[in-house]
Amino acid sequence: MEICFSTTNNGKFSEAQKILNKYGINITQAPLPLEEKRSESVEEIAEGCALRAYSILRKPLFVEDSGLFVPALNGFPGAYSAWVLKKLGNEGVLRLLEGKNREAEFRCAIAFTEGKEVRLFTGSVGGRVSESIRGNGGFGYDPVFIPEGEEKTFAEEPSLKDSLSHRARALQKFGESLSKR
Ligand code: ITT
């Protein structure tokens, strides 16, 4: 089976490729710059983007919206994660968290469509924001995120992401559902 993954993020694409291959699913990348609906919900954003991507590509596809949610910042950067990373970087996020509770959660919503309905698959991982930037692997916020029960950041130990990241968890549900068809 071959499905298109509409994303401009190569890190997301290679993680998805690795996991979905295990379910016998091949993916191709369409880096469409999709405008995202303003919402605090990764599910809502992903759903809207899936329909927009389908109106352009007209073939079975999925998109994925994700973000880092920090309760001490009322969920920020959340749905604004990509924008915050571009404007403030991981350094800026560390500064925002000085003296605050560093608990955080990554959330991911995959939206799959073949044109009519949109099916959603979600995943999350709890953890904390590190005190400093650590590691060279992964992408985005990986150098500052330590998953629950671990000491290393995702960037120091990217293999952790294959089993327990928000994306891996959503992709596993997606892969299982597709392989049952
Ligand atoms: P597309 O929308 O084109 O897929 P994007 O990078 O803009 O790519 P999002 O809008 O979903 O993706 O923004 C998510 C942000 O959160 C983005 O800055 C990512 O780098 C970051 N992020 C998402 N998953 C991550 C992960 O597994 N590790 C580190 N950072 C992550």
Side-chain angles (χ1 to χ4, degrees), residues 7-9 12 36 65-66 82 139-142 161 166-167:
T7 181
T8 59
N9 184 319
K12 282 185 181 183
E36 292 179 5
D65 194 68
S66 42
F139 64 91
Y141 295 98
D142 285 338
K161 296 190 81 181
H166 51 312
R167 178 167 306 100

Side-chain angles (χ1 to χ4, degrees), residues 29-181:
Q29 186 174 5
L32 298 181
L34 298 169
E35 197 182 317
E36 292 179 5
K37 177 180 176 180
R38 190 162 292 194
S39 161
E40 293 193 5
S41 146
V42 287
E43 289 91 339
E44 257 181 47
I45 294 173
E47 190 168 11
C49 285
L51 293 171
R52 274 193 289 287
Y54 190 85
S55 71
I56 299 166
L57 298 171
R58 300 264 158 212
K59 58 183 176 185
L61 63 86
F62 68 100
V63 301
E64 185 258 63
D65 194 68
S66 42
L68 181 69
F69 293 73
V70 180
L73 302 176
N74 295 324
F76 192 78
Y80 302 100
S81 290
W83 184 79
V84 168
L85 194 64
K86 206 156 58 188
K87 296 283 178 190
L88 306 180
N90 281 320
E91 296 84 355
V93 172
L94 293 184
R95 270 197 302 276
L96 284 177
L97 275 174
E98 276 168 20
K100 297 214 163 62
N101 185 329
R102 310 186 79 83
E103 205 178 295
E105 182 182 62
F106 263 128
R107 288 184 204 153
C108 165
I110 289 171
F112 170 64
T113 187
E114 292 172 288
K116 291 197 182 97
E117 41 161 20
V118 175
R119 295 180 59 204
L120 290 170
F121 303 86
T122 59
S124 65
V125 58
R128 64 185 199 278
V129 175
S130 57
E131 302 282 341
S132 59
I133 294 175
R134 290 175 7 209
N136 301 311
F139 64 91
Y141 295 98
D142 285 338
V144 297
F145 185 80
I146 303 172
E148 235 157 35
E150 303 291 336
E151 291 304 323
K152 291 189 170 167
T153 65
F154 270 158
E156 288 177 298
E157 196 65 69
S159 63
L160 287 174
K161 296 190 81 181
D162 297 343
S163 53
L164 55 73
S165 83
H166 51 312
R167 178 167 306 100
R169 287 172 172 161
L171 285 165
Q172 282 154 11
K173 293 180 193 167
F174 181 40
E176 266 158 38
S177 158
L178 287 183
S179 55
K180 277 192 206 125
R181 304 197 323 166

